[in-house]
Amino acid sequence: MSPLIMLIISISMLLGTSMTMFSSHWLTAWMGLEINTLAIIPLLTLPNHPRATESAIKYFLTQATASMVMMFAIIHNASMTNQWTLLQISNPTASTLMTFAFAYTLGLAPFHFWVLKVAQGIPLFSGMILLTWQKIAPTSIMYQISPALNMNILILLAIMSTLLGGWGGLNQTQLRKIMAYSSIAHMGWMTIIILINPIMTLLNLILYIIATLALFLTLNHASVTKIKSISNLWNKSTPLTIIIFLSLLSLGGLPPLTGFMPKWMILQELINSNNITIATLMALSALLNLFFYMRIIYAATLTMFPSTSTTKLQWLIPQNKPVHTIPSLTIITTLLLPLSPIFMSL
């Protein structure tokens, strides 16, 4: 892809996300989501491969369906209240439809199947954008209208997402599908707390994006897409292997890494609001996520994939991919837990 086209796509994605984040009118917020959706489709079809094209079509159809439901909710709310402002959602039907629309857009269970199919058929770089940048705009709208969303449906979807996100990744060998299940589980963590403390949702989103960026950039630099490929990576580049392990453990929420902080704070907020049963289910689902992350680490460190080579050391082919952002992202992913009191005071 030429640099000019890439520049146009990047500006369009930035414009769409900015329009949605800073909009106070439903029409401009909806337009921002549409611009964001149309801008990423060329990136999904970048390899010019049938699987990538199929994934782009699936992504377009699912986002178009969610957009249709969202527009119907907007029009219904406007017809009942004569209001187009973002914070004026007083109609129960519009609130329920809006909740389902955002659940479909973010890939919450049981609307999560498109995330797995799309993530598996696209390259690592496109998957990184899909699972990070594309979550910002819908989450920003949910942050603004969180008091108007249907609380019971949102809690049910969040619990289902965390449980299915942890359970579904147990028997996966493809790293892109594992990251898709991780995204589903993390969306559940962000959704469960948005009605109680929306600031925690933003904190969880930021730390999730940073950890996912560090992991995807490292996997893309090492050209690793399967667990068996990681088992051969340690004798090619030990630092990259360590970064992958730390990023996985941070996403799993293992202390003393940064990923433990949002889960700890969300569980604390749930317990303080007398939602002990929900907090228990969320903690158990976090153990499922941590288990399949540990499974990857076990397969990569304590086992070795069969190879025809008689030596353990292998030549590392020089890469031209940029790596200057990986060290800083890794530091943020692993060493921010001591700053927890600052975030808890927000």
Side-chain angles (χ1 to χ4, degrees):
M1 184 175 291
S2 67
L4 179 60
I5 297 178
M6 185 63 71
L7 178 63
I8 295 174
I9 292 174
S10 302
I11 293 176
S12 300
M13 293 178 62
L14 183 61
L15 176 63
T17 304
S18 301
M19 283 181 61
T20 304
M21 289 178 63
F22 302 112
S23 175
S24 59
H25 194 280
W26 272 116
L27 185 59
T28 52
W30 178 82
M31 288 174 58
L33 289 174
E34 292 305 300
I35 293 173
N36 218 11
T37 300
L38 295 176
I40 195 178
I41 289 177
L43 290 179
L44 301 183
T45 58
L46 187 60
N48 195 19
H49 190 272
R51 291 193 64 184
T53 305
E54 179 185 353
S55 298
I57 294 174
K58 289 178 180 178
Y59 178 76
F60 174 75
L61 292 177
T62 53
Q63 296 303 307
T65 305
S67 177
M68 178 186 65
V69 175
M70 179 180 175
M71 179 53 70
F72 181 78
I74 293 170
I75 295 174
H76 181 74
N77 181 73
S79 64
M80 293 296 176
T81 62
N82 295 323
Q83 293 288 338
W84 283 85
T85 55
L86 206 64
L87 302 179
Q88 296 292 332
I89 303 182
S90 56
N91 186 269
T93 304
S95 174
T96 304
L97 290 174
M98 196 67 68
T99 303
F100 282 119
F102 284 116
Y104 209 79
T105 303
L106 292 172
L108 294 173
F111 311 107
H112 65 286
F113 295 102
W114 69 267
V115 183
L116 309 174
K117 300 296 183 182
V118 174
Q120 179 58 28
I122 57 179
L124 287 170
F125 181 76
S126 302
M128 177 184 68
I129 298 176
L130 176 69
L131 298 180
T132 54
W133 183 265
Q134 294 299 100
K135 308 293 183 183
I136 297 176
T139 308
S140 66
I141 300 182
M142 288 185 65
Y143 172 79
Q144 297 179 64
I145 67 171
S146 56
L149 295 175
N150 192 307
M151 180 177 178
N152 295 326
I153 295 177
L154 212 57
I155 291 176
L156 179 62
L157 294 178
I159 294 176
M160 289 177 61
S161 299
T162 53
L163 291 175
L164 287 176
W167 191 264
L170 292 178
N171 61 343
Q172 297 296 325
T173 59
Q174 298 285 337
L175 293 175
R176 284 170 292 187
K177 271 196 175 182
I178 290 175
M179 293 308 301
Y181 277 113
S182 174
S183 173
I184 295 168
H186 278 86
M187 289 300 112
W189 280 90
M190 298 175 204
T191 306
I192 197 70
I193 200 63
I194 197 169
L195 300 171
I196 301 172
N197 191 345
I199 298 294
M200 294 296 172
T201 299
L202 295 183
L203 175 64
N204 197 348
L205 177 65
I206 293 171
L207 295 179
Y208 161 75
I209 288 177
I210 293 173
T212 306
L213 284 175
L215 183 57
F216 265 103
L217 288 174
T218 309
L219 293 175
N220 187 42
H221 179 72
S223 300
V224 172
T225 57
K226 300 178 181 179
I227 294 180
K228 68 177 184 180
S229 301
I230 298 184
S231 64
N232 287 328
L233 182 62
W234 68 270
N235 52 15
K236 295 181 181 179
S237 179
T238 305
L240 289 181
T241 309
I242 295 174
I243 291 174
I244 291 174
F245 293 167
L246 291 176
S247 301
L248 287 171
L249 292 177
S250 182
L251 283 171
L254 186 71
L257 302 175
T258 305
F260 175 69
M261 177 171 53
K263 290 182 171 57
W264 168 35
M265 296 169 71
I266 289 174
L267 291 176
Q268 186 177 0
E269 289 287 336
L270 290 174
I271 293 173
N272 291 338
S273 58
N274 295 323
N275 294 312
I276 299 182
T277 304
I278 297 177
T280 304
L281 290 174
M282 300 296 288
L284 292 175
S285 67
L287 292 178
L288 290 174
N289 281 92
L290 186 60
F291 177 80
F292 69 72
Y293 292 138
M294 292 296 295
R295 175 173 166 266
I296 299 175
I297 296 174
Y298 166 78
T301 56
L302 300 181
T303 62
M304 180 178 293
F305 192 77
S307 175
T308 57
S309 177
T310 57
T311 177
K312 293 183 178 181
L313 300 178
Q314 299 183 18
W315 289 101
L316 178 62
I317 301 174
Q319 297 281 350
N320 295 323
K321 301 173 184 176
V323 295
H324 54 274
T325 57
I326 294 179
S328 56
L329 290 174
T330 305
I331 292 173
I332 298 174
T333 303
T334 55
L335 299 178
L336 284 191
L337 187 61
L339 300 180
S340 299
I342 298 178
F343 293 108
M344 293 180 70
S345 63
L346 296 177

